[in-house]
């Protein structure tokens, strides 16, 4: 029987220690680091097809990766309203677009936001965020968590026989606020998205997600949610792992990596979604625990694992840590400036592609860039 979740509160006092953090900043990208593997698409928020331990699986001499993708419009900020999941063949440092993952008309949303994918035997389960409602005349910010399954093949098209997507977790209004807003501003909307599975040592299956607190709702009420799988395949909500009310509105793309007998929980967040008065960089943050129910401790005392370079504060985002401690992300606004007043400026400075992989080192509650 799982013990009650010992929720960690992330506080402004914790974050005050970031000012003394050393060595967390990534190096600035060189122009040769920014390779648009699919020039007609903006690509962001990537994850691998992985086994239950989180390791990318081999496919046709490489790996299969997923990412959000949208047509490269005049303003890259419009991509969120046009996002669909695509899959890519990764071979070395190269990614080849294989097309849209879910067949047209199958998704219950007007677009798809981030998720994850796991392979067991030959069955692929894709967890994803259905945003809006299919057929809606005006895109809303409603967010629901679905799963769909397919068979993995070795042919040119890797997936066969997609099932109808099934809603597997709900924001029940007790721990998590429903994310059902019709209108919103990026960074300020409420969240119920970014599902990521985790199999515990006891064999229990869990789903992590980005959520908003129903216990202490506010303008900044981000949480990392967790739910446990029932016999029918749906997930029952538990209390959050991390709660950041009064501190941060979006603890995005949470996932757990097992390393040296400990559980490491990682999430990404941006400097603009911290509460007024809190100064912290866009970066990868994390916590560590011996068991899924906690207690969780912030890595490095404040949570920050790696950040963008100070001179390029929006260079990359949406980091995903693999079990070998390599780290994927995407190239965001990688120029020297952080404020872009026009669509043309944003288009010129937006990467919209897979970033070079980095790596971290972990020892107990300490995390740092490797090398």
């Amino acid at each position: 029987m799982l013990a009650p979740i010992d929720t960690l509160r992330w506080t402004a006092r914790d974050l005050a220690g970031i000012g003394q953090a050393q060595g967390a900043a990534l190096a600035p990208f060189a122009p040769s680091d920014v390779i648009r593997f699919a020039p007609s698409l903006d690509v962001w928020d990537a994850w691998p097809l992985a086994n239950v331990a989180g390791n990318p699986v081999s496919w046709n001499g490489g790996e299969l990766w997923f990412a959000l993708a949208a047509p490269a419009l005049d303003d890259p900020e419009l991509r969120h309203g046009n996002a669909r999941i695509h899959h890519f063949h990764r071979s070395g440092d190269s990614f080849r677009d294989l097309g849209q993952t879910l067949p047209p008309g199958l998704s219950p949303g007007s677009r798809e936001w981030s998720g994850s994918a796991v392979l067991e035997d030959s069955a692929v389960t894709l967890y994803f965020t259905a945003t809006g409602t299919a057929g809606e005349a005006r895109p809303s910010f409603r967010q629901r968590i679905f799963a769909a399954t397919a068979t993995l093949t070795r042919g040119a098209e890797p997936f066969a026989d997609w099932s109808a997507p099934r809603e597997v977790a709900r924001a029940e209004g007790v721990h998590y606020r429903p994310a059902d807003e019709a209108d919103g501003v990026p960074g300020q909307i409420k969240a119920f998205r970014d599902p990521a599975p985790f199999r515990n040592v006891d064999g229990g299956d869990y789903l992590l997600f980005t959520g908003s607190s129903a216990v202490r709702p506010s303008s900044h009420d981000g949480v990392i949610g967790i739910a446990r799988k029932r016999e029918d395949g749906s997930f029952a909500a538990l209390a959050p792992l991390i709660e950041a009310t009064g501190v941060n509105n979006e603890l995005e793309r949470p996932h757990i990596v097992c390393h040296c007998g400990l559980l490491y929980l990682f999430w990404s967040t941006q400097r603009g979604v911290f509460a007024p008065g809190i100064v912290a960089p866009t970066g990868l943050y994390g916590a560590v625990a011996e068991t899924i129910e906690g207690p969780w401790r912030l890595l490095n005392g404040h949570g920050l694992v790696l950040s963008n370079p100070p001179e390029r504060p929006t260079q990359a985002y949406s980091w995903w840590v693999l079990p070998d401690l390599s780290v994927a992300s995407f190239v965001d606004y990688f120029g020297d400036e952080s404020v872009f007043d026009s669509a043309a400026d944003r288009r010129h400075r937006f990467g919209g592609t897979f970033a070079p992989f980095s790596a971290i080192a972990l020892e107990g509650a300490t995390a740092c860039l490797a090398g």
Side-chain angles (χ1 to χ4, degrees):
M1 184 71 178
L2 185 73
I5 298 294
D6 187 355
T7 303
L8 171 65
R9 283 200 62 198
W10 198 22
T11 69
R13 178 176 293 183
D14 297 324
L15 286 159
I18 283 183
Q20 287 73 50
Q22 300 293 324
L26 293 160
F29 292 152
S32 59
D33 291 327
V34 183
I35 303 170
R36 287 186 63 96
F37 298 102
S40 65
L41 296 175
D42 286 335
V43 175
W44 69 106
D45 284 18
W47 65 91
L49 176 61
N51 61 20
V52 294
N55 296 294
V57 300
S58 177
W59 184 82
N60 286 3
E63 299 168 355
L64 283 170
W65 280 69
F66 302 82
L68 300 187
L73 304 174
D74 289 343
D75 188 346
E77 287 301 295
L78 298 176
R79 71 188 188 276
H80 304 289
N82 295 276
R84 293 291 180 185
I85 296 169
H86 279 228
H87 49 284
F88 297 78
H89 187 207
R90 181 191 180 197
S91 179
D93 294 328
S94 179
F95 291 84
R96 181 167 62 91
D97 179 33
L98 300 180
Q100 186 173 315
T101 301
L102 294 177
L106 191 66
S107 176
S110 60
R111 61 256 197 232
E112 297 141 20
W113 286 357
S114 295
S116 54
V118 64
L119 176 70
E120 291 193 78
D121 298 322
S122 61
V124 174
T125 301
L126 176 68
Y127 295 94
F128 67 97
T129 309
T131 306
T133 303
E136 61 187 3
R138 185 163 162 269
S140 70
F141 288 91
R142 184 186 186 196
Q143 297 156 54
R144 296 168 293 159
I145 290 175
F146 280 79
T149 60
T151 300
L152 182 66
T153 78
R154 299 292 168 177
E157 171 49 56
F159 308 117
D161 303 322
W162 280 105
S163 70
R166 178 187 180 196
E167 190 170 10
V168 292
R170 296 178 186 270
E172 56 1 345
V174 177
H175 299 297
Y176 308 106
R177 296 171 66 177
D180 54 6
E181 295 160 291
D183 300 294
V185 176
Q188 298 178 19
I189 60 173
K190 297 298 103 178
F192 192 68
R193 59 179 183 267
D194 304 347
F198 171 70
R199 179 163 292 172
N200 200 16
V201 292
D202 64 3
D205 285 316
Y206 297 85
L207 200 66
L208 307 184
F209 52 86
T210 299
S212 300
S213 177
V215 177
R216 298 199 305 149
S218 76
S219 60
H220 293 78
D221 56 6
V223 299
I224 293 176
I226 185 171
R228 180 160 183 156
K229 196 172 188 177
R230 302 181 178 104
E231 289 186 2
D232 67 358
S234 65
F235 289 82
L238 305 173
L241 298 180
I242 310 288
E243 187 248 325
T245 293
V247 170
N248 188 290
N249 193 47
E250 292 180 338
L251 312 184
E252 295 195 290
R253 305 203 64 215
H255 57 287
I256 288 176
V257 170
C258 300
H259 181 74
C260 292
L262 296 173
L263 304 183
Y264 288 88
L265 169 63
F266 296 102
W267 65 93
S268 296
T269 195
Q270 303 188 66
R271 59 182 186 160
V273 299
F274 285 98
I278 296 177
V279 178
T282 296
L284 174 72
Y285 292 78
V288 61
E290 295 183 358
T291 63
I292 188 72
E293 62 266 32
W296 291 89
R297 294 176 291 157
L298 292 168
L299 293 174
N300 302 324
H302 42 63
L304 181 64
V305 176
L306 63 81
S307 67
N308 283 323
E311 67 271 31
R312 296 188 180 177
T314 58
Q315 170 179 274
Y317 190 57
S318 198
W319 292 273
W320 189 271
V321 183
L322 299 171
D324 67 357
L325 305 187
S326 61
V327 186
S329 63
F330 79 94
V331 185
D332 202 354
Y333 292 108
F334 66 97
D336 295 334
E337 298 173 11
S338 59
V339 177
F340 312 119
D341 294 329
S342 71
D345 245 357
R346 290 190 289 271
R347 172 49 62 196
H348 177 67
R349 297 178 182 276
F350 184 65
T353 189
F354 297 90
F357 279 59
S358 54
I360 59 173
L362 299 172
E363 185 175 349
T366 301
C368 64
L369 283 168

